[in-house]
Each structure stands twice: as C-alpha cells, then as structure tokens.
Amino acid sequence: MITLDPAMLNRVIKPARYTGNEWNSIKKDHDKVNVTVALSLPDVYEVGMSNLGLKILYQILNNRTDTAAERVYAPWVDMESEMRARNIPLFTLESLKPVSEFDVVGFSLQYEMSYSNVLNMLDLAGIPLFTAERNEKMPIIVGGGPCTFNAEPVADFFDCLILGEGEEVMEDLIEAVSAWKQSGKADGRVGLLKKIAKIEGIYVPSLYDVTYHNDGTVAKIVPNCSDAPAIVTKRVVKDLNTVEYATRPIVPFLDIVHDRIMLELFRGCTRGCRFCQAGVLYRPVRERRPEVLLKMAKEMVDSTGYNEISLTSLSSADYSCLPDLVQSLVDDLKEQGVSVSLPSLRIDSFSIELAQKVQQVRKSGLTFAPEAGSQRMRDVINKGVTEQNLEDAVSAAFQAGWSTVKLYFMMGLPTETDEDVLEIANLAYKVLDLYKKITGRRGAKVTVSVSCFVPKPHTPFQWFPQNHASEFERKQQLLKAKLRDRNITFNWHDARTSFLEGAFARGDRRLGQVLLKAWQNGARFDGWSEYFKYDVWIDAFKASDLDPYFYATRERSFEEVMPWDHLSSGATKDFLQREYQQAVQEELTCDCRREKCSACGVCPGLGVEVLDWGNKA
Amino acid sequence: MAKLRLEITKGEEIRYISHLDYASAMERAIIRAKLPAAYSEGFNPHMKISFASALAVGVTSQAEYIDVEFKEEVELSQAVVRLTQSLPPGIKIKGARYMYGNVPALMAIVNLATYEVTMPLLAEDIGVIEDSIRWFNEAETVPYTRESPKGRKEIEVKQYMAQAVKIIILEKAVRLMIDIKITPTGSVKPGEVVAALVDMFDLPVDIDNLLIHRTGLYICDEKRTVSPIEC
Ligand code: SF4
C-alpha cells in the first residue's frame, strides 16, 4: 500500500481525485481473490468516473467472489509531477496498491487523443510499454471501448483488445487468467495470449503480422499462429434485460462530468447517420423492457442518493416506450426529489412536450443537433431531419418558454461546399427570427457549435479524405464573418486537434512509433487544449518518417485494405460502400428498426435481433 | 416543522474533499436513508439543509453541525440508525436532536472554532519553539496578508484569537491548539495563523506537511461556552 503524504495532497488541485473511499466503492482483500483487475480510463478522474461501461464492469467483476476490481485514472499534471518527484508509482483508488501488482489492467479507449495518456500511465506504473517487453509477473494490458475497432496505432502496447460489449467477454477473460494462474502460468505469457485469442471478441495484436505495399498502404494483416482467427468479430449482449447493470455505481465526492444516475434505455441506433461510428459499432438496437428500467432506476436512487436520472442512450428519444417510462419515473420518484433528464432531444415537437414534462431541462437551454446547415448536406449524411422539423421544434420550445438554444453542427462532410457551410449561419438567424415572431421580443440566445468532421473506421465515410486543417480554418472564418450578432455565440473545434485525431482514427500499426516519440517529448492530455502540443506530434511524425496527411486527408479506394479489415463490427463492407454511394447521390436510407432492414449484415452475422418493445406489443 | 440537528465528523478518509462536496455527500446520504427531508419550492428544488461553518479541503473535524428540515418527524433513534447506515466512511454521527420553533441559523450563532494543528518539527531545540509561540501570544498585533484568487487583503490575526496558542511537543512533531473567533465581519484560518507563526515568528516546522483538525465549534457568550448540540 502506498502512503500519500499530506504535503503532496495539500499542494495538488482536487486531491480528492486520488484518495478514494467513495460510497459504493468496494475494497477486497487481495489475498482472498484469484484475479485482481485495475479498471482505467486514460483521462482525469472526473472524466473516467463518468464512463458507463466501466461502472458496469466494476460491478460485474466485483460480484465475482474470486475477483477484485479497482479503479485508476490519469493523475492530473500537477499530481503526476509530485508522484514522479517522490517515486510514487501509479496506484488504484481502492487499495492504494501499485497498478503493476495487478493481474489485469484494462483501459477504456474512448478517444484517440487519450492514447498518449495510456503510455504515460503505463510508464508511471512502471510497466514496460510494449507487450513484447512484459514478463510473466506483469499485468495483462487490455483495451476496450470504441477505439479498439481500429486500435492499430496502439496495437504494440496492448496485450489484447476487446471488441464490442464487455459484460460477457470480460468474464471469459477473467476465467482464462484465473485458470492460467492456477496452472502455474503454463507456457508463459504467450501461452495465455494464445488462449485468450480464442475467446470470441478478443483481438491479440501480437498474433498478427502486418505487411505494407511500397506506397505505404497495408498489403495484408494475417494471423501468425493457428490460435488467432483471421477476423475478430465484436461481442454483443443478446438480451440486455438479463445482464447485470451498474445498479450500485460509485458516488464520487467530486463533481464529475456526468454526476447523476445513468439509465441506459437501449443500445444501438438505427437512424443510420453516415458519419456516426457508434451507430455502426453498437448495432443492432436492443431495448430494455420498461419495467426492468423502472426497477433499475429505483434501485439506483436507493443505492446512490442521486436526485437526477439521465436517460442515456445514443438517441434516447427513440426509445419505443419513452412517454410511459418517463411518466412512471416521474410519478414514482417525485417523493424522493428525483428529476429526470433527457440529454439528447430529437428534433421534433414531441420531444419538447417530453422535455416539458420532465421539467428538468432548465428553461435556460435546449440542445439540438441538425449536424449540417443545408438540407442537401443533411441528406448526404442521412440525418433525416428537415428544416421544417427544426423550425417546429424550436417554435415549440420558444412557445414553452425556452429562450436559449444550442445547435450542433459539423463541417468538412463529404461533398460540402461553402454554401453548405453558410447555411449553418442562415439556420442560426432563422432561429433568432422565430423567437421574435413567436414572443414579439428579441433576446433569444443561440449557441452554434461546429466541430471538424473526422471520418471514422467502420462508417460509410471511412474512405473519405478529411479536410485539411487549413481548409477547416478557412471555413471557420467564413462562418465567423457571417455570425456577427451579439445574440449568437459561435464555438468551434481546434482544427489541428481534429487533424491528428483523424490521422490516428484511421492509422495503422506504424503510428505506434509516432505515439511513443510524441509521449517521450511530453505529449499527454492531448484532448485538453491547454496541454495539446501540436508541434510535438508533427515532429514525432517526421522523426518516424511518416506523413500524417497520408492517414488523415488521403482518399482511399474501395479496393484498399484498411488497417482494421480484420476487425469486424458485423456490418459488411458492402453495406458501408453502398451507403457511401447513396450519400454522394443524396439518397436516404430508412431506419431499420421501424421500417425495413437495410441489410447491414449485423443481425444475421452475429445471430442477434433488433429488440423494440413498442413494435412487439 | 422540526429540524434535525446533527453533530457529525469529517474523518481522515475524506480529509481532502471540499465543503461543497461534503455537503452533497450528506444530502445523498439523507436520500439513501429515505429520511423525509423538506425541499425548497421553485424550479430547481434543493434540500433544506444548512451547515454551521465551512471546512476547508485538507481539514478534518470531530464536531461539524448541520440542520436538516423535515416534512415530518421520524423517531430520533430511527433517523440516526438509518442515516448511519447510509453515511460514507469518514462521516459519523456523534449527536442528534430535534429543534423546534424558530431556530436561528447555525451559521449565525456559532462564534468560536477550536483546532489542533500538527506538523513535523524542523528543530531539535524545544526552546526555540516555545519562544516563537510566546512571542506570538505576547504580540500586540500580527498583520497578515491574505492572498486569494480574489486578490490580497491585509488582516489582523490577533483580533481573532480567542485564547493564547498552546503547544504540545510530540515525537518529531508539534501540535498547536488554536482557538479562533468567528465574527460577523470575518475570521482567520488556522493555516493562516500557522503561516504567520512561521513567517514572522520563525516557528521551525515543516508547514507543507501540516494537518489541521477541528476539535470544536461553539456558541460562546459571557456566561458560558456550549456546542450547538447542547445549546
Ligand atoms: S441487419 Fe438489418 S435490422 Fe439488423 S441492424 Fe442491420 S439493417 Fe438493422
């Protein structure tokens, strides 16, 4: 056990990030379990603690009497320098034990810009960065989360990566590790990795060889032993009603990013937005039964004392039994002072009604995501929302008393012209005018947030060349010039961060060197603008003799082997190509939950079914 | 309506949480315990709960006081049992009673706080320590510049001292007993008193490693000094 001396804790900001003891946290005696697991998200405590997947795994793993699961997050820069100065290794929050003493260390990879933190945390833990350098006494380093569907840039650092939902596969992994330990670690680390590679949904990168063409593209990625499958396919939970959920989540002392109960109504989204990676990775839609949700919600209020429930799913307003569910939640939990909130609103007036009913969304702000300014562009991305929809929704909101609206957009989408970009401004002004028309007053506040589109693997836009940073900046200026109204606030994303995110999103295994060099030269917390060091990254690319533009802004042909072609989300390449072509032709694809199956391949391929209770009734 | 007044602790386990976070930890414990707390009216209702005095990050306490307004009265021992089961490590209930009628706010009546501050000694010679404490206690005025994000402010430390500072010499450490007045126009923090002792009276201690513990909060007048739970 590590002791943290007061001088250190007195000096850092938010020392409670490092001291644990939160309600519902679980401390087990390590001598009484077979397997110890450190669960991590490579970002600061407040971000890490807000991740639903890790909350679920924490509960599932700790339900096992043979397993102890603990947490560790990236120490903030001030704490890191205190730790390095005092030779304090990375430690978990429950037992304050060094992470290097655990059997398994799992990182949730949510975002490419957190990769440098993974290396930094391994280093702080005193664990060799490369899988090839680790011996039998060292932890197994596991990755999970959306980035694993192309984790090639971090492949050399991970022993294995989990594709898809973790509930079941994580238990399989623990069983394998436990058996291996009991066998006296038979055949060493490689023996274990070969066993693990046979588990469905687990990718062991070291068991695959990558070769490249002269032009730098991937020639092939093939297993180098018979234990590894040619293609690793994601895991899905067939019925969410029967798996364990995070009903006893840890209640932090600090104000974290999502400091409330998260009630996950369903997984997946079938609206089929063509830019959306989550929409593909979490297919098909599987809803929880309303009665199960209600029971879970009550349990969570009792176990946490939180007074706010957030309905979290990719598009919560699509839940088939939403109105009834919301009504029952509000009725049953009103007494305990509990309110319900809907983080994502669909752009229609029905949502406003609901928002009013839950009375939670403060009259200060409503958020909509038209994603693109022009109708043409929204058709390209298959957003399936018309200007009329937006007008109706915003009008309903203004009539109901709201006066502040946030609008989310992307720029740099396929086929985008300057006119499309400028339509974003027109929409913003239209919203202001609507307020005037409806209330007879001025004074609506519109926030326009525009991010830079990053094409992601496993989406129909995976072949598309991302805009150059300079092009993004030009478009941002264009829009900025148009949005000169004191009632409009314009936020935009840093184009250079998006550029690097893009390079890593579609990167191959060679980027591991770039990552290593950038980290060695001080890169960490790259997702935090105050710590993002663009030049360090560019220098690291140069030193590795690799070109970031090759990865980010190059158009790929349909024939090219993608670095993630051996990793399957269940959606076929045919489907993605079809969707790309439809996009260019501005043709829509319908919602496969409510209308007809668009033949993405997931349901038959994985033997799962769309579960939509509203349709079954 | 009845108010439940509690005497509670802030222990080592939660030393580094802020006052606001300590307050919400209490609120959540009350919800978990299913106690019938009253809420304010309005769009964003909040629990009717109030504290005697804020405690800084890094400070522990054996005597914090809160009032929680109830919609209905629950039998006292029942309420205490239920709440005890819902409290995170580091918060214990040391006393509880119902207050009836027009109860003045804790914040308004508490006017004395007592602390123990413990820190490593940097000198062998006990005499040096005793001297610096004596000079401090005998000084007419001790001006101190408070620096905060809001700016600098000159304060007079001695006007807030309720008692002479006392010391206990421990093995390689020293413990100071500091009694501080809380006045309507302000107060001084125990850490600031120690800082003044180090800066101006050369107290040879490792101030980086100081540990502050609140030993009591009192209502004090000419006749007597009582805690809010005894008043
Ligand atoms: S296979 Fe058909 S129904 Fe299933 S997720 Fe794909 S498009 Fe939807």
Side-chain angles (χ1 to χ4, degrees):
Chain A
M1 193 175 139
I2 287 162
T3 40
L4 305 173
D5 93 58
M8 167 161 93
L9 293 171
N10 282 334
R11 233 186 333 252
V12 298
I13 57 161
K14 303 197 182 178
R17 285 168 171 166
Y18 315 107
T19 51
N21 287 314
E22 305 95 328
W23 182 256
N24 282 341
S25 63
I26 295 167
K27 294 184 188 180
K28 290 188 180 180
D29 181 350
H30 288 206
D31 293 334
K32 297 204 172 99
V33 296
N34 295 338
V35 184
T36 53
V37 187
L39 295 173
S40 171
L41 189 137
D43 206 319
V44 73
Y45 178 91
E46 294 91 316
V47 177
M49 281 288 288
S50 299
N51 181 271
L52 180 58
L54 288 178
K55 288 179 204 280
I56 295 174
L57 290 181
Y58 186 82
Q59 181 157 329
I60 287 187
L61 294 178
N62 277 318
N63 278 354
R64 296 176 65 105
T65 49
D66 67 346
T67 306
E70 307 192 357
R71 296 160 298 144
V72 56
Y73 304 110
W76 191 243
V77 273
D78 57 351
M79 183 65 171
E80 181 191 337
S81 54
E82 296 284 341
M83 287 168 69
R84 289 197 187 270
R86 291 156 205 260
N87 278 318
I88 293 177
L90 191 70
F91 57 89
T92 58
L93 294 173
E94 279 76 3
S95 63
L96 271 80
K97 280 212 166 73
V99 166
S100 59
E101 289 176 14
F102 282 69
D103 296 316
V104 177
V105 179
F107 286 98
S108 174
L109 304 173
Q110 296 290 318
Y111 177 46
E112 291 79 6
M113 301 314 279
S114 69
Y115 290 167
S116 57
N117 273 11
V118 172
L119 298 202
N120 200 40
M121 289 176 77
L122 288 174
D123 179 68
L124 264 173
I127 298 169
L129 299 187
F130 289 95
T131 167
E133 291 168 1
R134 293 179 199 130
N135 66 28
E136 270 74 72
K137 294 199 189 68
M138 293 165 184
I140 305 297
I141 310 300
V142 186
C147 287
T148 62
F149 283 87
N150 177 31
E152 287 303 286
V154 287
D156 292 339
F157 309 107
F158 279 87
D159 296 311
C160 67
L161 296 153
I162 290 175
L163 306 190
E165 291 157 354
E167 282 96 341
E168 293 162 352
V169 63
M170 202 60 192
E171 296 215 56
D172 298 345
L173 178 67
I174 298 300
E175 301 278 351
V177 172
S178 175
W180 178 66
K181 278 182 81 179
Q182 267 152 9
S183 74
K185 304 199 173 178
D187 304 324
R189 246 181 126 81
V190 177
L192 174 65
L193 292 183
K194 286 186 171 175
K195 278 231 172 62
I196 290 177
K198 290 188 182 145
I199 300 173
E200 233 182 286
I202 299 191
Y203 169 44
V204 179
S206 57
L207 302 183
Y208 294 75
D209 291 333
V210 191
T211 48
Y212 301 90
H213 291 302
N214 285 337
D215 65 0
T217 57
V218 172
K220 47 183 198 286
I221 303 177
V222 283
N224 56 30
C225 70
S226 59
D227 302 277
I231 289 184
V232 183
T233 304
K234 80 176 179 194
R235 286 286 283 264
V236 281
V237 171
K238 284 191 181 151
D239 184 359
L240 289 179
N241 295 295
T242 52
V243 288
E244 181 87 6
Y245 187 67
T247 49
R248 300 183 303 280
I250 294 173
V251 186
F253 290 115
L254 289 180
D255 205 359
I256 61 172
V257 177
H258 298 296
D259 204 11
R260 54 191 77 91
I261 289 170
M262 293 196 221
L263 187 63
E264 187 193 35
L265 310 182
F266 60 92
R267 287 201 192 142
C269 172
T270 42
R271 301 215 146 233
C273 296
R274 292 173 180 133
F275 57 84
C276 179
Q277 190 190 34
V280 177
L281 300 187
Y282 300 109
R283 276 179 182 230
V285 159
R286 285 143 298 145
E287 293 191 338
R288 282 197 169 89
R289 286 181 179 281
E291 58 274 19
V292 172
L293 290 167
L294 199 59
K295 186 168 158 270
M296 283 182 353
K298 287 185 197 161
E299 251 177 85
M300 286 189 279
V301 171
D302 289 351
S303 73
T304 62
Y306 271 123
N307 61 4
E308 187 184 348
I309 297 178
S310 165
L311 307 179
T312 34
S313 300
L314 283 175
S315 156
S316 294
D318 278 331
Y319 182 59
S320 62
C321 315
L322 191 62
D324 290 346
L325 176 72
V326 168
Q327 192 65 58
S328 331
L329 285 172
V330 170
D331 291 348
D332 290 11
L333 297 166
K334 201 166 40 207
E335 261 306 285
Q336 282 165 279
V338 179
S339 63
V340 182
S341 70
L342 276 162
S344 62
L345 282 183
R346 207 163 57 199
I347 301 180
D348 58 22
S349 31
F350 160 79
S351 293
I352 304 295
E353 245 172 71
L354 249 152
Q356 256 186 306
K357 178 185 273 164
V358 301
Q359 279 282 315
Q360 172 52 37
V361 193
R362 296 242 232 139
K363 292 267 192 261
S364 57
L366 272 186
T367 303
F368 297 105
E371 315 284 9
S374 68
Q375 190 57 48
R376 193 190 69 79
M377 211 60 247
R378 284 194 297 271
D379 289 346
V380 168
I381 61 176
N382 203 41
K383 187 66 201 175
V385 158
T386 64
E387 190 148 324
Q388 194 60 47
N389 292 149
L390 184 70
E391 277 181 29
D392 292 349
V394 172
S395 305
F398 289 157
Q399 260 145 19
W402 273 277
S403 60
T404 306
V405 175
K406 248 192 199 163
L407 301 173
Y408 280 110
F409 299 95
M410 279 179 289
M411 58 168 58
L413 290 159
T415 78
E416 182 182 75
T417 64
D418 285 356
E419 278 96 85
D420 294 311
V421 174
L422 291 171
E423 280 297 311
I424 292 175
N426 290 342
L427 260 189
Y429 282 108
K430 195 161 280 170
V431 170
L432 281 184
D433 291 345
L434 269 174
Y435 186 79
K436 177 103 197 294
K437 209 168 102 197
I438 288 166
T439 64
R441 283 175 285 125
R442 304 201 132 267
K445 293 261 174 279
V446 177
T447 301
V448 174
S449 287
V450 183
S451 62
C452 303
F453 171 59
V454 177
K456 294 275 168 123
H458 303 278
T459 67
F461 293 159
Q462 64 176 357
W463 294 276
F464 175 71
Q466 187 179 344
N467 279 188
H468 282 248
S470 55
E471 176 70 352
F472 279 130
E473 280 158 5
R474 187 188 65 81
K475 289 177 180 174
Q476 286 166 349
Q477 289 310 318
L478 201 67
L479 202 48
K480 207 171 153 193
K482 265 272 199 157
L483 287 172
R484 289 191 195 283
D485 186 299
R486 60 189 185 86
N487 292 316
I488 299 177
T489 310
F490 178 36
N491 300 326
W492 62 90
H493 273 197
D494 177 43
R496 297 190 303 180
T497 309
S498 304
F499 170 59
L500 283 172
E501 184 191 336
F504 275 87
R506 291 187 291 171
D508 56 42
R509 216 174 262 204
R510 294 173 301 185
L511 290 190
Q513 308 160 47
V514 178
L515 180 56
L516 180 69
K517 293 201 173 88
W519 167 73
Q520 283 167 341
N521 290 319
R524 66 210 57 179
F525 284 108
D526 294 296
W528 296 74
S529 53
E530 66 263 48
Y531 291 107
F532 177 58
K533 298 186 177 113
Y534 182 69
D535 294 341
V536 163
W537 283 100
I538 295 305
D539 290 348
F541 269 99
K542 277 199 198 113
S544 312
D545 210 12
L546 290 166
D547 176 12
Y549 293 92
F550 172 81
Y551 295 100
T553 60
R554 180 174 57 93
E555 175 157 26
R556 278 105 169 137
S557 75
F558 281 168
E559 286 71 45
E560 183 174 333
V561 175
M562 299 294 202
W564 53 91
D565 275 352
H566 58 306
L567 307 173
S568 170
S569 68
T572 63
K573 225 174 178 176
D574 277 354
F575 166 75
L576 299 179
Q577 289 179 359
R578 214 157 57 227
E579 281 298 300
Y580 193 18
Q581 280 154 347
Q582 299 257 88
V584 178
Q585 285 153 22
E586 300 165 23
E587 276 168 28
L588 299 180
T589 301
C590 63
D591 184 336
C592 72
R593 154 163 43 171
R594 304 275 153 75
E595 288 159 70
K596 73 175 206 311
C597 167
S598 35
C600 76
V602 172
C603 296
L606 304 184
V608 277
E609 263 180 70
V610 167
L611 281 182
D612 181 281
W613 302 111
N615 273 2
K616 296 243 149 142
Chain B
M1 232 346 88
K3 267 187 189 166
L4 179 67
R5 177 163 294 180
L6 294 169
E7 183 179 64
I8 55 178
T9 61
K10 181 187 171 200
E12 206 48 61
E13 299 90 332
I14 51 168
R15 177 186 282 277
Y16 293 97
I17 75 173
S18 71
H19 175 68
L20 229 68
D21 295 334
Y22 180 68
S24 54
M26 273 314 289
E27 277 188 36
R28 286 166 185 165
I30 290 165
I31 298 178
R32 290 194 291 264
K34 299 196 175 212
L35 293 175
Y39 286 83
S40 68
E41 300 291 320
F43 199 74
N44 207 15
H46 49 86
M47 195 180 278
K48 292 192 173 171
I49 173 168
S50 58
F51 283 73
S53 163
L55 210 53
V57 174
V59 181
T60 55
S61 171
Q62 63 193 49
E64 293 304 291
Y65 300 91
I66 68 166
D67 281 347
V68 192
E69 201 171 308
F70 276 5
K71 286 183 281 199
E72 69 216 43
E73 208 171 307
V74 182
E75 205 233 314
L76 190 64
S77 61
Q78 260 288 319
V80 170
V81 166
R82 265 153 65 183
L83 192 53
T84 301
Q85 289 166 346
S86 307
L87 287 170
I91 307 183
K92 290 196 178 66
I93 301 176
K94 292 176 64 194
R97 61 182 276 208
Y98 279 112
M99 311 284 291
Y100 300 95
N102 232 341
V103 186
L106 280 165
M107 203 56 125
I109 50 172
V110 166
N111 56 8
L112 174 70
T114 61
Y115 296 92
E116 280 177 7
V117 183
T118 311
M119 56 219 139
L121 263 176
L122 295 177
E124 299 277 302
D125 186 358
I126 310 288
V128 180
I129 298 142
E130 285 171 342
D131 284 349
S132 83
I133 299 293
R134 195 176 58 241
W135 290 330
F136 174 86
N137 284 336
E138 285 170 2
E140 287 280 316
T141 66
V142 176
Y144 177 82
T145 311
R146 172 180 290 166
E147 292 191 49
S148 74
K150 280 175 239 148
R152 298 163 132 248
K153 198 183 159 200
E154 287 295 324
I155 55 165
E156 172 44 51
V157 173
K158 288 301 290 259
Q159 65 172 317
Y160 299 119
M161 302 308 297
Q163 293 271 346
V165 171
K166 292 191 240 354
I167 51 173
I168 300 178
I169 306 290
L170 307 164
E171 204 187 327
K172 292 204 175 82
V174 64
R175 178 170 299 154
L176 309 184
M177 259 75 76
I178 306 177
D179 293 6
I180 295 172
K181 290 181 202 162
I182 303 169
T183 77
T185 51
S187 187
V188 65
K189 294 189 190 117
E192 293 171 331
V193 176
V194 178
L197 271 161
V198 171
D199 290 351
M200 302 167 61
F201 299 88
D202 299 321
L203 184 69
V205 293
D206 173 9
I207 192 165
D208 282 346
N209 269 303
L210 95 173
L211 291 173
I212 304 174
H213 179 65
R214 181 137 80 190
T215 50
L217 279 174
Y218 299 97
I219 302 155
C220 161
D221 58 27
E222 295 80 43
K223 288 179 268 154
R224 56 190 200 139
T225 298
V226 290
S227 82
I229 207 93
E230 309 158 326
C231 71

